[in-house]
Amino acid sequence: MYAQMVKSAGTGVKSREDMSDQEREFQDKIDADIKIEPRDWMPDDYRATLIRQMGQHAHSEIVGQLPEGNWITRAPTLERKAILLAKVQDEAGHGLYLYSAAETLGVTRDELTEMLLDGRMKYSSIFNYPTLNWADIGAVGWLVDGAAIMNQVPLQRTSYGPYSRAMIRICKEESFHQRQGYDAIRKMAEGTVAQKKMAQDALNRLWYPSLMMFGPSDKDSVHSAQSMAWKIKINTNDELRQKFVDQTVPQIEYLDLDLPDEGITWNAQRGHYDYTDPNWSEFFDVIKGNGPCNVDRLAARNKAWDDGAWVRDGLMANARKKAAAKMAAE
Ligand code: BYC
């Protein structure tokens, strides 16, 4: 049932006249910034859109552990290893807060996981790109977590209570992630000629995939209008992408690295940096499953799910035994 709901989550925005009394009352709550809680009435499409977005977000946190986990055993110092280990653990925690928050909408974590594993649900496009060397790990923290925070800070004000509260906690940890990434890339940018070259190469390769994290341009965004009317999303994809560019260009300049896009120039009239759009056909190809690492990422998650079956079975058997003992005692 939820698979169908996730697939069919609506597109067009209903006008006030077309809403039922219940839908109008719901929209009034949203407009008054009153949080929606799990037991409140909500339109089916609101529920489905949240399950899609929160599920996709949770999956991204879990799949996002893979490119970084790949470098834990090869971190250059013990300190960097400890930091990376803690960060990757945090990502697992973020996934769990989000799965728990999604469960309040009536879908189980197992159902969500199965939809990820068989390709019915997505995860962030960024994790279909490889991390080729240590500089990429710095760039992931700096750019990928930087883009994630840009998107997630406004989501702390999202209309669904459990999602909003999960985001508050996630953002606290995410800002540490971004700073450790910037610190790692700064060390390389200020290091030897070879290290600086690696930092530049990581920036060049991860720049556009990071811009793509914000989703397609507003004209191609299917869900933004309704999601913004429901305050599931607070900003459009392009608004957040621009904020990210504006924040990151001065950081690139501070690091004394070259800009990864010749089209980046300050536009005094707009009060923003102009930049060249990502290659959107590459983006759509990646989210269709054809990025450099899609097959590997899903294979790794499927293997983890299969390998963990005995643990889940054991936990369930234990829970059933405890429940039976409790009932017998009552
Ligand atoms: N990747 O109508 P649109 C992290 C899909 S992880 C893949 O604009 P929406 C981290 C979209 O699903 C960060 N697919 O969609 C973890 C839709 O397809 P469907 C994850 C994408 O939902 C570990 C279609 O394109 N953050 O922080 O209104 C280590 C049309 O798009 C992407 C979140 O998930 C994409 N990038 O807006 C380090 C934040 N973009 O579903 C870091 C929460 C779009 O109709 N999510 N699509 O088949 C959001 O804010 C929104 O869902 C998005 C997309 C802005 C991502």
Side-chain angles (χ1 to χ4, degrees):
M1 170 194 174
Y2 285 101
Q4 190 47 42
M5 282 179 80
V6 167
K7 268 254 115 15
S8 66
T11 45
V13 186
K14 240 187 204 178
S15 69
R16 229 180 140 71
E17 297 75 64
D18 291 339
M19 289 179 192
S20 65
D21 288 347
Q22 213 169 19
E23 285 171 335
R24 255 193 298 273
E25 214 173 287
F26 176 82
Q27 189 62 50
D28 288 343
K29 271 171 88 174
I30 302 265
D31 294 344
D33 284 333
I34 298 169
K35 293 271 180 262
I36 307 300
E37 296 298 339
R39 290 185 187 173
D40 295 343
W41 182 87
M42 60 187 86
D44 284 349
D45 266 5
Y46 177 85
R47 186 184 297 276
T49 301
L50 277 171
I51 292 173
R52 182 186 60 79
Q53 180 169 316
M54 291 162 72
Q56 179 170 313
H57 193 163
H59 298 327
S60 304
E61 301 284 355
I62 300 299
V63 178
Q65 293 181 287
L66 296 169
E68 292 186 290
N70 184 30
W71 281 89
I72 290 173
T73 54
R74 291 175 286 169
T77 65
L78 184 59
E79 191 190 8
R80 293 280 176 207
K81 188 199 283 276
I83 292 170
L84 184 58
L85 200 55
K87 179 190 189 298
V88 172
Q89 279 181 186
D90 283 353
E91 307 301 359
H94 298 175
L96 298 191
Y97 311 154
L98 287 162
Y99 284 127
S100 298
E103 283 189 314
T104 64
L105 292 159
V107 63
T108 68
R109 191 168 135 190
D110 282 4
E111 282 175 296
L112 290 168
T113 304
E114 278 156 17
M115 287 192 269
L116 166 73
L117 297 181
D118 67 17
R120 279 176 292 160
M121 283 186 85
K122 294 185 168 71
Y123 57 89
S124 181
S125 50
I126 185 71
F127 302 117
N128 293 307
Y129 291 86
T131 43
L132 301 179
N133 56 47
W134 179 254
D136 286 13
I137 296 302
V140 165
W142 170 34
L143 301 172
V144 174
D145 288 85
I149 297 175
M150 195 55 83
N151 167 287
Q152 291 170 14
V153 164
L155 288 179
Q156 295 177 103
R157 290 182 284 118
T158 193
S159 59
Y160 188 55
Y163 191 23
S164 150
R165 292 188 285 273
M167 290 317 307
I168 291 170
R169 199 160 159 184
I170 290 174
C171 281
K172 287 204 173 94
E173 294 172 354
E174 209 71 81
S175 55
F176 157 77
H177 294 175
Q178 198 268 348
R179 292 181 81 132
Q180 67 80 35
Y182 189 69
D183 183 64
I185 207 85
R186 188 177 56 82
K187 262 273 184 303
M188 298 199 71
E190 292 172 357
T192 63
V193 173
Q195 285 171 328
K196 186 168 183 180
K197 216 171 145 200
M198 281 171 74
Q200 182 69 58
D201 172 60
L203 166 62
N204 292 350
R205 277 183 294 103
L206 288 166
W207 175 252
Y208 281 113
S210 301
L211 293 192
M212 291 175 192
M213 285 175 71
F214 297 96
S217 66
D218 291 352
K219 67 178 171 35
D220 294 321
S221 172
V222 186
H223 304 288
S224 283
Q226 182 60 79
S227 288
M228 288 177 73
W230 277 331
K231 296 187 184 164
I232 289 176
K233 271 169 91 165
I234 309 297
N235 301 92
T236 73
N237 301 352
D238 285 338
E239 277 169 7
L240 292 174
R241 196 172 1 258
Q242 180 70 65
K243 272 184 107 168
F244 175 76
V245 172
D246 290 348
Q247 173 185 280
T248 311
V249 169
Q251 295 173 349
I252 300 173
E253 285 167 346
Y254 182 82
L255 292 172
D256 194 28
L257 294 174
D258 295 332
L259 295 173
D261 161 17
E262 286 178 356
I264 293 177
T265 46
W266 177 249
N267 184 325
Q269 221 170 7
R270 290 200 310 122
H272 292 291
Y273 285 96
D274 289 337
Y275 62 94
T276 312
D277 254 349
N279 175 347
W280 290 120
S281 50
E282 175 182 320
F283 168 79
F284 286 113
D285 213 30
V286 169
I287 68 172
K288 257 191 244 142
N290 303 322
C293 299
N294 297 60
V295 172
D296 286 356
R297 300 295 187 233
L298 271 189
R301 290 312 312 153
N302 270 290
K303 181 174 182 316
W305 182 249
D306 294 343
D307 289 352
W310 67 274
V311 180
R312 294 193 302 278
D313 291 347
L315 288 173
M316 284 311 291
N318 189 41
R320 270 194 293 269
K321 202 170 136 193
K322 274 192 176 156
K326 194 169 170 234
M327 270 174 69
E330 279 169 4

